[in-house]
Amino acid sequence: DDIEKRGEEGIKEITKKFDNYEGDVVVSKEKIEEASKKIDQKTKDDIKFAHDRIKKFAEHQLKHLNNDFEVELSKGVFAGQRLIPIDTVGCYIPGGRYAHISSAIMAITPARIAGVKTIITASPPKDQKGANEGIIYAANYCGADVILNLGGVAAIGSLTYGCFGNPA
C-alpha cells in the first residue's frame, strides 16, 4: 500500500531499511560497463554459452507456439488463438545471499525472443555499489532494457507500479 501511494519515495525508504542501500536505483550505462570490466572471461564465456542455448531453445519453442488459428464452432460463432507478446515484463533476479546469474539468463532471454518490447530487471543491492556485477553483466548481455538495484518488495512494487520512469 505504501509503495502504491508514495511510489519512488516509499521504495527508497524500504530499500534503505531492508537492504541498507541508498545509491542509484537505475543502473547506469557506466555502471554496466564497469561491471563488465570486473567479470572474468570464464564467467563471460559461461554466460554466453548458457544464453546461446536458452536462445536457441526459445527460438525453436516460439516457432511451435506461434500457431494462430480460428475455428467456426457453429454458424457465425468463432473461437481462436492468437499469441501476442506483452509490452513490458519485469524480471526479478535473486541476488541476496547468492548471485543467481542463471536466473537473469533464463528470464530475460525468452522474453526478448518472444518479442517483449520492454524488459525491466531488478536485483537486490549486495552492498553500496548495487547489484552483483555478474547479474548486471548477464542482464545487459541478454537484452534487459533497464536494470534496477532493488530487491524484495521494493523491486516488486517498482515493477508493478512502473516507478523510476519505467512502464508498469
Side-chain angles (χ1 to χ4, degrees):
D1 288 346
D2 186 48
I3 290 173
E4 185 177 15
K5 288 176 190 147
R6 297 189 317 128
E8 294 173 13
E9 182 183 329
I11 289 169
K12 287 179 180 180
E13 280 183 24
I14 290 169
T15 300
K16 181 179 178 181
K17 179 179 178 181
F18 292 110
D19 290 325
N20 195 32
Y21 179 76
E22 298 180 72
D24 293 332
V25 173
V26 178
V27 178
S28 67
K29 292 291 180 195
E30 294 78 25
K31 288 287 186 183
I32 293 170
E33 289 172 16
E34 187 179 306
S36 178
K37 290 176 185 171
K38 291 181 180 178
I39 302 301
D40 64 271
Q41 192 58 48
K42 171 81 170 97
T43 301
K44 288 179 181 179
D45 292 344
D46 290 345
I47 290 168
K48 181 185 181 324
F49 178 81
H51 173 262
D52 290 348
R53 298 292 173 133
I54 293 165
K55 181 180 176 198
K56 184 175 182 178
F57 181 80
E59 289 169 341
H60 190 75
Q61 184 180 38
L62 182 62
K63 285 182 199 174
H64 289 83
L65 287 175
N66 203 8
N67 293 321
D68 295 350
F69 68 87
E70 186 176 86
V71 61
E72 188 171 15
L73 299 175
S74 59
K75 186 150 179 73
V77 177
F78 294 87
Q81 169 179 291
R82 185 169 159 220
L83 301 174
I84 302 168
I86 56 178
D87 287 333
T88 305
V89 68
C91 299
Y92 184 80
I93 312 304
R97 194 170 295 159
Y98 302 103
H100 291 265
I101 294 171
S102 61
S103 293
I105 302 166
M106 291 186 290
I108 298 164
T109 304
R112 182 59 61 208
I113 296 304
V116 174
K117 292 176 185 151
T118 304
I119 301 171
I120 305 167
T121 303
S123 190
K126 66 180 184 114
D127 54 28
Q128 285 305 310
K129 295 176 187 170
N132 176 279
E133 291 93 357
I135 290 173
I136 292 172
Y137 176 82
N140 183 64
Y141 184 86
C142 294
D145 297 297
V146 178
I147 305 167
L148 303 174
N149 289 311
L150 292 173
V153 69
I156 301 307
S158 178
L159 296 170
T160 300
Y161 299 114
C163 298
F164 304 99
N166 298 305

PDB file of all heavy atoms in Angstrom, residues 49-66:
ATOM      1  N   PHE A  49      27.592 -19.020 -23.271  1.00  0.00           N
ATOM      2  CA  PHE A  49      27.222 -20.405 -23.561  1.00  0.00           C
ATOM      3  C   PHE A  49      25.766 -20.671 -23.162  1.00  0.00           C
ATOM      4  O   PHE A  49      24.975 -21.197 -23.948  1.00  0.00           O
ATOM      5  CB  PHE A  49      28.161 -21.363 -22.818  1.00  0.00           C
ATOM      6  CG  PHE A  49      27.830 -22.817 -23.010  1.00  0.00           C
ATOM      7  CD1 PHE A  49      28.239 -23.492 -24.148  1.00  0.00           C
ATOM      8  CD2 PHE A  49      27.102 -23.505 -22.049  1.00  0.00           C
ATOM      9  CE1 PHE A  49      27.934 -24.834 -24.325  1.00  0.00           C
ATOM     10  CE2 PHE A  49      26.786 -24.842 -22.214  1.00  0.00           C
ATOM     11  CZ  PHE A  49      27.204 -25.504 -23.356  1.00  0.00           C
ATOM     12  N   ALA A  50      25.417 -20.300 -21.927  1.00  0.00           N
ATOM     13  CA  ALA A  50      24.051 -20.531 -21.444  1.00  0.00           C
ATOM     14  C   ALA A  50      23.044 -19.717 -22.255  1.00  0.00           C
ATOM     15  O   ALA A  50      21.990 -20.227 -22.643  1.00  0.00           O
ATOM     16  CB  ALA A  50      23.953 -20.175 -19.959  1.00  0.00           C
ATOM     17  N   HIS A  51      23.360 -18.461 -22.524  1.00  0.00           N
ATOM     18  CA  HIS A  51      22.475 -17.601 -23.305  1.00  0.00           C
ATOM     19  C   HIS A  51      22.230 -18.193 -24.691  1.00  0.00           C
ATOM     20  O   HIS A  51      21.081 -18.240 -25.161  1.00  0.00           O
ATOM     21  CB  HIS A  51      23.077 -16.196 -23.431  1.00  0.00           C
ATOM     22  CG  HIS A  51      22.318 -15.301 -24.345  1.00  0.00           C
ATOM     23  ND1 HIS A  51      22.684 -15.101 -25.650  1.00  0.00           N
ATOM     24  CD2 HIS A  51      21.207 -14.561 -24.150  1.00  0.00           C
ATOM     25  CE1 HIS A  51      21.824 -14.278 -26.223  1.00  0.00           C
ATOM     26  NE2 HIS A  51      20.926 -13.935 -25.336  1.00  0.00           N
ATOM     27  N   ASP A  52      23.275 -18.644 -25.364  1.00  0.00           N
ATOM     28  CA  ASP A  52      23.127 -19.227 -26.705  1.00  0.00           C
ATOM     29  C   ASP A  52      22.204 -20.439 -26.685  1.00  0.00           C
ATOM     30  O   ASP A  52      21.358 -20.600 -27.569  1.00  0.00           O
ATOM     31  CB  ASP A  52      24.486 -19.614 -27.289  1.00  0.00           C
ATOM     32  CG  ASP A  52      25.345 -18.410 -27.656  1.00  0.00           C
ATOM     33  OD1 ASP A  52      24.816 -17.268 -27.679  1.00  0.00           O
ATOM     34  OD2 ASP A  52      26.553 -18.614 -27.884  1.00  0.00           O
ATOM     35  N   ARG A  53      22.343 -21.288 -25.677  1.00  0.00           N
ATOM     36  CA  ARG A  53      21.490 -22.485 -25.571  1.00  0.00           C
ATOM     37  C   ARG A  53      20.031 -22.108 -25.292  1.00  0.00           C
ATOM     38  O   ARG A  53      19.122 -22.643 -25.910  1.00  0.00           O
ATOM     39  CB  ARG A  53      21.986 -23.405 -24.443  1.00  0.00           C
ATOM     40  CG  ARG A  53      23.376 -23.946 -24.638  1.00  0.00           C
ATOM     41  CD  ARG A  53      23.406 -24.922 -25.791  1.00  0.00           C
ATOM     42  NE  ARG A  53      24.768 -25.311 -26.066  1.00  0.00           N
ATOM     43  CZ  ARG A  53      25.168 -26.552 -26.255  1.00  0.00           C
ATOM     44  NH1 ARG A  53      24.312 -27.533 -26.217  1.00  0.00           N
ATOM     45  NH2 ARG A  53      26.423 -26.808 -26.507  1.00  0.00           N
ATOM     46  N   ILE A  54      19.833 -21.219 -24.350  1.00  0.00           N
ATOM     47  CA  ILE A  54      18.472 -20.807 -23.988  1.00  0.00           C
ATOM     48  C   ILE A  54      17.827 -20.074 -25.152  1.00  0.00           C
ATOM     49  O   ILE A  54      16.645 -20.278 -25.449  1.00  0.00           O
ATOM     50  CB  ILE A  54      18.491 -19.971 -22.695  1.00  0.00           C
ATOM     51  CG1 ILE A  54      18.912 -20.870 -21.523  1.00  0.00           C
ATOM     52  CG2 ILE A  54      17.140 -19.326 -22.426  1.00  0.00           C
ATOM     53  CD1 ILE A  54      19.318 -20.134 -20.281  1.00  0.00           C
ATOM     54  N   LYS A  55      18.589 -19.234 -25.840  1.00  0.00           N
ATOM     55  CA  LYS A  55      18.074 -18.508 -27.009  1.00  0.00           C
ATOM     56  C   LYS A  55      17.659 -19.480 -28.109  1.00  0.00           C
ATOM     57  O   LYS A  55      16.577 -19.339 -28.692  1.00  0.00           O
ATOM     58  CB  LYS A  55      19.142 -17.549 -27.526  1.00  0.00           C
ATOM     59  CG  LYS A  55      18.704 -16.738 -28.717  1.00  0.00           C
ATOM     60  CD  LYS A  55      19.815 -15.809 -29.193  1.00  0.00           C
ATOM     61  CE  LYS A  55      19.346 -15.087 -30.442  1.00  0.00           C
ATOM     62  NZ  LYS A  55      20.451 -14.518 -31.181  1.00  0.00           N
ATOM     63  N   LYS A  56      18.493 -20.466 -28.374  1.00  0.00           N
ATOM     64  CA  LYS A  56      18.178 -21.452 -29.416  1.00  0.00           C
ATOM     65  C   LYS A  56      16.876 -22.191 -29.079  1.00  0.00           C
ATOM     66  O   LYS A  56      16.009 -22.381 -29.934  1.00  0.00           O
ATOM     67  CB  LYS A  56      19.327 -22.449 -29.569  1.00  0.00           C
ATOM     68  CG  LYS A  56      19.137 -23.445 -30.682  1.00  0.00           C
ATOM     69  CD  LYS A  56      20.372 -24.328 -30.841  1.00  0.00           C
ATOM     70  CE  LYS A  56      20.186 -25.287 -31.995  1.00  0.00           C
ATOM     71  NZ  LYS A  56      21.386 -26.114 -32.204  1.00  0.00           N
ATOM     72  N   PHE A  57      16.735 -22.600 -27.823  1.00  0.00           N
ATOM     73  CA  PHE A  57      15.520 -23.298 -27.416  1.00  0.00           C
ATOM     74  C   PHE A  57      14.307 -22.373 -27.520  1.00  0.00           C
ATOM     75  O   PHE A  57      13.257 -22.769 -28.022  1.00  0.00           O
ATOM     76  CB  PHE A  57      15.637 -23.839 -25.986  1.00  0.00           C
ATOM     77  CG  PHE A  57      14.403 -24.571 -25.555  1.00  0.00           C
ATOM     78  CD1 PHE A  57      14.185 -25.874 -25.947  1.00  0.00           C
ATOM     79  CD2 PHE A  57      13.437 -23.938 -24.782  1.00  0.00           C
ATOM     80  CE1 PHE A  57      13.029 -26.555 -25.572  1.00  0.00           C
ATOM     81  CE2 PHE A  57      12.276 -24.598 -24.404  1.00  0.00           C
ATOM     82  CZ  PHE A  57      12.070 -25.913 -24.808  1.00  0.00           C
ATOM     83  N   ALA A  58      14.443 -21.135 -27.047  1.00  0.00           N
ATOM     84  CA  ALA A  58      13.325 -20.185 -27.077  1.00  0.00           C
ATOM     85  C   ALA A  58      12.884 -19.898 -28.514  1.00  0.00           C
ATOM     86  O   ALA A  58      11.687 -19.790 -28.794  1.00  0.00           O
ATOM     87  CB  ALA A  58      13.706 -18.894 -26.364  1.00  0.00           C
ATOM     88  N   GLU A  59      13.841 -19.787 -29.421  1.00  0.00           N
ATOM     89  CA  GLU A  59      13.502 -19.562 -30.837  1.00  0.00           C
ATOM     90  C   GLU A  59      12.734 -20.755 -31.402  1.00  0.00           C
ATOM     91  O   GLU A  59      11.741 -20.583 -32.111  1.00  0.00           O
ATOM     92  CB  GLU A  59      14.768 -19.302 -31.650  1.00  0.00           C
ATOM     93  CG  GLU A  59      15.396 -17.965 -31.363  1.00  0.00           C
ATOM     94  CD  GLU A  59      16.793 -17.802 -31.955  1.00  0.00           C
ATOM     95  OE1 GLU A  59      17.449 -18.817 -32.293  1.00  0.00           O
ATOM     96  OE2 GLU A  59      17.240 -16.650 -32.058  1.00  0.00           O
ATOM     97  N   HIS A  60      13.194 -21.944 -31.080  1.00  0.00           N
ATOM     98  CA  HIS A  60      12.524 -23.159 -31.548  1.00  0.00           C
ATOM     99  C   HIS A  60      11.124 -23.270 -30.923  1.00  0.00           C
ATOM    100  O   HIS A  60      10.145 -23.596 -31.607  1.00  0.00           O
ATOM    101  CB  HIS A  60      13.371 -24.381 -31.206  1.00  0.00           C
ATOM    102  CG  HIS A  60      12.900 -25.646 -31.829  1.00  0.00           C
ATOM    103  ND1 HIS A  60      13.081 -25.934 -33.156  1.00  0.00           N
ATOM    104  CD2 HIS A  60      12.233 -26.694 -31.302  1.00  0.00           C
ATOM    105  CE1 HIS A  60      12.550 -27.112 -33.428  1.00  0.00           C
ATOM    106  NE2 HIS A  60      12.028 -27.599 -32.305  1.00  0.00           N
ATOM    107  N   GLN A  61      11.045 -22.985 -29.646  1.00  0.00           N
ATOM    108  CA  GLN A  61       9.765 -23.036 -28.942  1.00  0.00           C
ATOM    109  C   GLN A  61       8.774 -22.045 -29.551  1.00  0.00           C
ATOM    110  O   GLN A  61       7.605 -22.373 -29.760  1.00  0.00           O
ATOM    111  CB  GLN A  61       9.997 -22.721 -27.466  1.00  0.00           C
ATOM    112  CG  GLN A  61       8.778 -22.835 -26.596  1.00  0.00           C
ATOM    113  CD  GLN A  61       9.091 -22.501 -25.150  1.00  0.00           C
ATOM    114  OE1 GLN A  61       9.877 -21.582 -24.877  1.00  0.00           O
ATOM    115  NE2 GLN A  61       8.500 -23.238 -24.230  1.00  0.00           N
ATOM    116  N   LEU A  62       9.238 -20.846 -29.857  1.00  0.00           N
ATOM    117  CA  LEU A  62       8.370 -19.821 -30.427  1.00  0.00           C
ATOM    118  C   LEU A  62       7.782 -20.271 -31.766  1.00  0.00           C
ATOM    119  O   LEU A  62       6.601 -20.054 -32.032  1.00  0.00           O
ATOM    120  CB  LEU A  62       9.137 -18.506 -30.602  1.00  0.00           C
ATOM    121  CG  LEU A  62       8.342 -17.328 -31.150  1.00  0.00           C
ATOM    122  CD1 LEU A  62       7.198 -16.952 -30.212  1.00  0.00           C
ATOM    123  CD2 LEU A  62       9.259 -16.137 -31.372  1.00  0.00           C
ATOM    124  N   LYS A  63       8.597 -20.908 -32.580  1.00  0.00           N
ATOM    125  CA  LYS A  63       8.108 -21.414 -33.877  1.00  0.00           C
ATOM    126  C   LYS A  63       6.945 -22.378 -33.697  1.00  0.00           C
ATOM    127  O   LYS A  63       6.026 -22.411 -34.501  1.00  0.00           O
ATOM    128  CB  LYS A  63       9.225 -22.123 -34.637  1.00  0.00           C
ATOM    129  CG  LYS A  63      10.242 -21.226 -35.248  1.00  0.00           C
ATOM    130  CD  LYS A  63      11.264 -22.056 -36.001  1.00  0.00           C
ATOM    131  CE  LYS A  63      12.523 -21.283 -36.245  1.00  0.00           C
ATOM    132  NZ  LYS A  63      13.576 -22.104 -36.839  1.00  0.00           N
ATOM    133  N   HIS A  64       6.999 -23.174 -32.645  1.00  0.00           N
ATOM    134  CA  HIS A  64       5.975 -24.194 -32.431  1.00  0.00           C
ATOM    135  C   HIS A  64       4.773 -23.673 -31.632  1.00  0.00           C
ATOM    136  O   HIS A  64       3.729 -24.302 -31.631  1.00  0.00           O
ATOM    137  CB  HIS A  64       6.592 -25.421 -31.765  1.00  0.00           C
ATOM    138  CG  HIS A  64       7.482 -26.165 -32.709  1.00  0.00           C
ATOM    139  ND1 HIS A  64       8.777 -25.789 -32.932  1.00  0.00           N
ATOM    140  CD2 HIS A  64       7.240 -27.211 -33.513  1.00  0.00           C
ATOM    141  CE1 HIS A  64       9.317 -26.597 -33.836  1.00  0.00           C
ATOM    142  NE2 HIS A  64       8.406 -27.465 -34.208  1.00  0.00           N
ATOM    143  N   LEU A  65       4.943 -22.561 -30.964  1.00  0.00           N
ATOM    144  CA  LEU A  65       3.827 -21.970 -30.229  1.00  0.00           C
ATOM    145  C   LEU A  65       3.030 -21.011 -31.098  1.00  0.00           C
ATOM    146  O   LEU A  65       1.860 -20.781 -30.858  1.00  0.00           O
ATOM    147  CB  LEU A  65       4.338 -21.180 -29.019  1.00  0.00           C
ATOM    148  CG  LEU A  65       4.849 -21.968 -27.836  1.00  0.00           C
ATOM    149  CD1 LEU A  65       5.414 -21.009 -26.788  1.00  0.00           C
ATOM    150  CD2 LEU A  65       3.737 -22.798 -27.219  1.00  0.00           C
ATOM    151  N   ASN A  66       3.689 -20.455 -32.073  1.00  0.00           N
ATOM    152  CA  ASN A  66       3.082 -19.400 -32.871  1.00  0.00           C
ATOM    153  C   ASN A  66       2.156 -19.964 -33.949  1.00  0.00           C
ATOM    154  O   ASN A  66       2.330 -19.720 -35.129  1.00  0.00           O
ATOM    155  CB  ASN A  66       4.163 -18.516 -33.495  1.00  0.00           C
ATOM    156  CG  ASN A  66       3.634 -17.150 -33.854  1.00  0.00           C
ATOM    157  OD1 ASN A  66       2.515 -16.807 -33.511  1.00  0.00           O
ATOM    158  ND2 ASN A  66       4.450 -16.384 -34.534  1.00  0.00           N
TER     159      ASN A  66
END
